[in-house]
Amino acid sequence: MKQILRPFEEVRAALLDSVEPVAGIEAVPTAEALGRVLAVDQVSGLDVPPLDNSHMDGYAVRTADLPALGTRLRVAQRIPAGSVGHTLEPGTAARIFTGAPIPHGADAVVMQELCSVDADGVTINQLPRPGEWIRKAGEDIARGATVLGAGVRLNPQMLGLAASLGCATLPVYRRLRVALFSTGDELVMPGEPLPPGAIYNSNRYVLRGLLEALGCEVSDLGIVPDSLDATRQALRSAAAGNDLIVTSGGVSMGEEDHIKPAVTAEGRLDSWLIAMKPGKPVAFGRVDDPAGGKGAAFIGLPGNPVSSFVTFIMLVRPFVLKAQGAAHCLPRALPLEAGFDWPRPDKRREFLRARLGPDGRVVLYPNQGPGVLTSTVWADGLVDNPPETAIRAGDRVSFIPYSELLQ
């Protein structure tokens, strides 16, 4: 029977439409909120900076007191950062430091490098413009402005911004709970003897790392034997208390591939074969909780290491981000020049391991096989190539950098 492959875009859209975002919100210390998804808009309760302040070390002056170069002023006060001066009297200057509030009456700061100082005063060697080297109150953030919108995934600079507003905690969505297991009697764990015909389970480490990098709480169920009963039991255990089940292996059509009948028996299977390369066999659906709970979404990935990696970052990652409440979950691609030829494209949508060459053009790893895990380490992104699209050096290609896929 001829296999019908669903287009990649159609499957991804259906997968995202099936997402049930987590509802729980918790307040976490701002210092511990890295990578979490913000649940509530953060509105500033103050101006940043709160007062007009100096952008430089120098002297705060009244420009009306400076009719010509070489004007000499008495230094009447000293204002370090963290203190507030008094009104600047006519004919005087204030020694001021970066970040210190501008005294009332002053309307400019002269850099100290443009001044000559003696025991009795300061001589101004360059006439300032009104407002020069003054940072205005609210220049960065105005009181009442929304500075961080709900749905953003918090990065270090966002945490700094929140801290600058005095936020000791931030409201974030709870972490997604994900159960992970691999299937395959040929799999053994690193550190164990490697018998003939066996391979070490690399997918477990890749997928667990990717899930944890996305902020998930991962329940690692290890390796499940190649039997229908064992696979069904693993699915039932995983469905209790988890939001998502991710598996690798067992999704092809062979006699030892039990994911499809197991998921069908324990819940429902919504999709099976996808027109993408690598990664044609990808399953998603839902597994019921035998105890009557909510159950869990299910995504089954191929066993080949590269196929597992690529299908995760292109399909599972956006699912996880949306489930965690992220407003933006799809990666952005860059139009870049190809430094390679790809004369024999596939009928499926291809994701080619690639990186930027020294001339700024995109180059491919020479072996694009689905088992060549080395290619994923060598690469710094993927070329997203439409079906049946040949590429010649100099063509524009759609390059998705790892920075859009692995964070």
Side-chain angles (χ1 to χ4, degrees), residues 124-136:
I124 306 301
N125 298 321
Q126 179 172 304
L127 298 179
R129 301 182 305 274
E132 190 166 353
W133 298 119
I134 292 178
R135 294 185 291 206
K136 306 297 290 183

Side-chain angles (χ1 to χ4, degrees), residues 76 87 123 164 189 264 273 277 302 328 364:
T87 299
T123 299
S164 76
M189 292 304 298
T264 302
L273 298 174
K277 183 182 180 181
H328 303 287
L364 296 184

Side-chain angles (χ1 to χ4, degrees), residues 143-334:
R143 182 190 302 267
T146 299
V147 293
L148 292 171
V152 300
R153 195 158 167 249
L154 295 163
N155 60 29
Q157 55 268 41
M158 292 177 185
L159 299 186
L161 184 58
S164 76
L165 303 177
C167 299
T169 63
L170 288 170
V172 297
Y173 290 108
R174 71 163 174 84
R175 296 183 186 274
L176 197 71
R177 294 187 284 267
V178 184
L180 172 68
F181 66 84
S182 305
T183 66
D185 290 340
E186 76 280 10
L187 299 175
V188 298
M189 292 304 298
E192 299 176 358
L194 191 66
I199 59 172
Y200 287 121
N201 185 3
S202 61
N203 286 348
R204 182 179 186 181
Y205 293 85
V206 173
L207 298 178
R208 179 170 178 166
L210 290 167
L211 287 165
E212 290 179 343
L214 288 170
C216 300
E217 292 181 2
V218 181
S219 298
D220 190 340
L221 305 183
I223 301 171
V224 174
D226 271 335
S227 77
L228 180 59
D229 288 343
T231 305
R232 290 184 63 178
Q233 179 56 47
L235 290 173
R236 288 194 293 268
S237 298
N242 288 295
D243 305 297
L244 172 65
I245 303 168
V246 176
T247 67
S248 66
V251 292
S252 295
M253 306 297 287
E255 294 177 1
E256 298 299 320
D257 296 315
H258 301 291
I259 288 293
K260 182 177 181 179
V263 175
T264 302
E266 298 296 333
R268 71 173 192 269
L269 195 65
D270 295 328
S271 186
W272 188 247
L273 298 174
I274 303 176
M276 67 179 292
K277 183 182 180 181
K280 179 176 67 175
V282 174
F284 77 85
R286 193 158 191 90
V287 177
D288 299 328
D289 181 355
K294 183 180 179 181
F298 170 83
I299 306 178
L301 305 179
N304 279 323
V306 176
S307 300
S308 179
F309 173 73
V310 171
T311 50
F312 184 99
I313 58 180
M314 297 308 302
L315 292 171
V316 182
R317 180 181 183 273
F319 182 97
V320 167
L321 290 176
K322 186 174 180 181
Q324 292 185 134
H328 303 287
C329 58
L330 296 181
R332 294 167 295 184
L334 303 174

Side-chain angles (χ1 to χ4, degrees), residues 354-392:
R355 71 180 181 191
L356 295 183
D359 60 357
R361 301 200 302 172
V362 179
V363 294
L364 296 184
Y365 192 75
N367 187 342
Q368 292 288 318
V372 185
L373 193 57
T374 308
S375 66
T376 65
V377 176
W378 175 91
D380 54 25
L382 301 175
V383 169
D384 180 358
N385 193 41
E388 300 182 314
T389 302
I391 301 171
R392 302 178 71 175

